Amino acid sequence: MRGKRLYLACNIVKNWSSYLLGVPQPVPVGYVIIGTTFHCNAKCIMCNIHKLYKEKPGLCNNELELPALLEKLKESEVIKKINHIDLTGGEPFIKEHLDDFIIGLFRLPNINLVTINTNGLLPDKIISAVSGILKSLPNGKFFSVSVSMDGIGEVHDRIRGIEGAFDRVEKTLAGLKDLRIEHPDFTIRSNAVIQPENIDHLGELKKYWGENKIAGAFGLIQTPFYTLSRDAGCNSVPFGKDDIQKIKSIGPKSKGADYYLDHNCNRPLHCFAGYASMFIDPFGNVYPCNFLAEREDYQMGSIKADPVDAVWTSRVARDIRAKVKKCPYTGCWNGCEVDQTMIQFEPIERVVKAMTLGMLSYYKMKKLNNFQ
C-alpha cells in the first residue's frame, strides 16, 4: 500500500511539473474514461445523443470494436500506469462484447477498479453481463456499476423520456442487489443530474438510495459537446437563488460544489484535464476530458491510426494541453471534471495542513473559504 501511494505521489508531482514546465509527460492518474458507444436507448430531455445515429446512420459503423480497443490498451505503457478505468456511453450495455472487454481490462497490469455507468433500461442484459464479470473477477480487483436515477417514478420517466423507465431501473437494481449478496465487494452506485425538472424531488431520491443501500451522488446539469444538446458547453447553470439554496442543502455532491454555486458558477481551481485524465470516444479519438469530446479543436489524435502512447505524447497533445490551460468553458465543475482536478490538489491541502499542524489550509490561502 505504501509503495502504491508513493507511486501515485510521484505521478502527481510529474503532472504538476508537466503543467507548469511542459516536462515530463503527464500520467492520467485520475482515470481514463472510455466511451464504449454512442448508441442510446433513452431519450433524456437534457441530452440528444440518442438522435446521433438516426441523423447520421452510417456513422455508427465507425465505432471501434471492443476487442480491437482492448488490444490497443494492452500495448500502451501509459495505460499500464493507471489503476482505474471508467466506462460510459451512450448506453454501454448495448455494445457487443462488453463483458469480455471488462474482464480483459482487469487483466491489464495495474487495473484494480473498473466502473461503468448505465441508464438501467436493459435489466436482463445488465444483470447477466455483471454476473459473468463478477464470477471472473480476480481477488483484489473491484467492479462498480452506477445506475442513473433522476427521480422516483414518473419524475424519472419524464426526464429519461421513456415510459416505464423507473420500473426497469428498479428491476435492474433488484438484480444487482442479489449479486451483491454473492459478491460483497461489488458496489452499486447511482448518479442524479440536478436540473429544474427534479429540483423539488431530490430528497425523495436521497431517501430511496438510503433505504436500498445505494451509494448515490448528485451532479449539476452540464452537457458535454458529444451529447448534441443545445446547451452543450454552456457556462451557466439554469438555477435561480432559491433553487441554489435547495441544491446546497442536499448531498453528497462534488467537492467544492457549494462554493462553485456561490461564485457565479465559475470553477474555483484550474483544470488538469489532459494531464490527470484522458477520454477515448467510441471512434478511438482521444480528448483531454469527456466534456470536450467531439470538439475537433480539442482532439489529441486517434488510436485507430496510432498507438495510445503515440497520441498521448504527441506534439498535438502537448498543444491541446496548452489550450486546456486557457479553456473558455470555465463553468464545468462536476463529476469527472472535478475528480481529475482534485487528485492533483488534495495532496497539497494535506501537506499544508500537516506542516502547519492544521492551522493553515491551501484552499483558504487561495481564498476559497468554505471549500468542502
Side-chain angles (χ1 to χ4, degrees):
M1 179 63 72
R2 184 176 297 176
K4 288 183 178 180
R5 287 179 178 174
L6 181 60
Y7 179 73
L8 175 61
C10 288
N11 285 328
I12 289 172
V13 171
K14 283 182 181 179
N15 287 352
W16 271 104
S17 177
S18 181
Y19 187 91
L20 298 171
L21 305 175
V23 291
Q25 293 291 344
V27 180
V29 293
Y31 44 78
V32 172
I33 304 174
I34 297 175
T36 57
T37 181
F38 280 158
H39 282 288
C40 192
N41 54 344
K43 298 177 181 178
C44 303
I45 60 176
M46 65 284 193
C47 176
N48 288 324
I49 198 169
H50 61 278
K51 297 180 180 179
L52 176 62
Y53 293 147
K54 291 178 182 177
E55 296 175 357
K56 300 177 180 179
L59 189 60
C60 64
N61 297 324
N62 294 337
E63 287 195 355
L64 191 59
E65 295 300 320
L66 293 183
L69 174 57
L70 183 59
E71 290 304 312
K72 288 282 188 177
L73 299 177
K74 286 179 181 178
E75 298 167 357
S76 170
E77 294 299 319
V78 172
I79 298 299
K80 289 176 183 176
K81 295 177 181 178
I82 67 167
N83 62 13
H84 179 189
I85 289 180
D86 181 62
L87 304 176
T88 187
E91 171 48 47
F93 284 94
I94 291 176
K95 189 75 170 181
E96 291 185 356
H97 311 297
L98 179 71
D99 47 354
D100 290 336
F101 177 67
I102 293 173
I103 291 168
L105 291 179
F106 280 114
R107 292 176 180 148
L108 296 176
N110 249 357
I111 299 299
N112 60 25
L113 173 63
V114 175
T115 52
I116 188 167
N117 305 279
T118 177
N119 57 32
L121 297 181
L122 298 170
D124 294 338
K125 191 171 186 179
I126 293 168
I127 294 163
S128 175
V130 172
S131 177
I133 292 164
L134 291 173
K135 287 176 183 176
S136 302
L137 194 64
N139 290 333
K141 307 280 185 174
F142 301 94
F143 183 52
S144 175
V145 176
S146 180
V147 183
S148 298
M149 297 181 71
D150 295 316
I152 303 298
E154 197 176 293
V155 175
H156 182 74
D157 290 2
R158 186 168 62 251
I159 291 174
R160 294 286 156 170
I162 300 290
E163 186 177 349
F166 185 76
D167 291 340
R168 284 195 250 174
V169 164
E170 286 211 296
K171 184 178 178 181
T172 297
L173 289 171
L176 294 178
K177 285 193 288 183
D178 287 341
L179 292 174
R180 187 171 59 185
I181 295 171
E182 300 175 41
H183 306 274
D185 289 334
F186 169 53
T187 306
I188 305 170
R189 299 184 179 276
S190 183
N191 285 308
V193 179
I194 301 176
Q195 50 198 294
E197 289 75 13
N198 66 0
I199 189 72
D200 293 318
H201 303 278
L202 303 179
E204 303 163 18
L205 185 53
K206 184 174 181 178
K207 181 182 178 183
Y208 180 94
W209 286 338
E211 291 173 347
N212 289 276
K213 297 180 181 179
I214 296 169
F218 295 98
L220 300 170
I221 182 169
Q222 294 177 333
T223 46
F225 287 97
Y226 71 80
T227 62
L228 307 178
S229 302
R230 177 175 55 84
D231 294 327
C234 182
N235 269 341
S236 60
V237 175
F239 299 112
K241 289 183 178 179
D242 291 343
D243 285 346
I244 285 176
Q245 291 307 312
K246 293 176 185 177
I247 297 170
K248 288 174 65 176
S249 69
I250 200 78
K253 302 183 292 293
S254 298
K255 188 177 180 70
D258 290 351
Y259 180 94
Y260 165 85
L261 288 166
D262 282 338
H263 291 78
N264 202 29
C265 298
N266 284 311
R267 58 180 305 124
L269 297 168
H270 55 261
C271 183
F272 269 83
Y275 293 88
S277 65
M278 174 198 306
F279 177 72
I280 303 173
D281 79 1
F283 312 114
N285 300 318
V286 179
Y287 298 88
C289 68
N290 65 339
F291 189 83
L292 293 170
E294 309 317 304
R295 278 288 304 263
E296 289 187 9
D297 52 334
Y298 282 92
Q299 184 179 322
M300 292 175 157
S302 169
I303 64 171
K304 265 190 179 180
D306 298 297
V308 174
D309 294 357
V311 173
W312 184 252
T313 60
S314 67
R315 178 180 292 273
V316 173
R318 186 186 68 185
D319 292 344
I320 295 299
R321 291 185 188 105
K323 287 185 67 173
V324 169
K325 291 167 76 169
K326 300 178 181 178
C327 180
Y329 305 106
T330 57
C332 67
W333 188 253
N334 193 29
C336 308
E337 293 78 28
V338 179
D339 291 344
Q340 45 82 13
T341 293
M342 295 315 304
I343 200 168
Q344 292 292 141
F345 280 95
E346 278 294 283
I348 298 177
E349 169 73 350
R350 291 174 189 165
V351 168
V352 170
K353 281 190 171 182
M355 293 181 66
T356 62
L357 301 178
M359 291 186 288
L360 291 179
S361 160
Y362 173 78
Y363 301 128
K364 288 184 179 179
M365 291 165 64
K366 295 283 288 184
K367 298 183 178 179
L368 301 177
N369 296 321
N370 299 319
F371 189 85
Q372 53 189 331

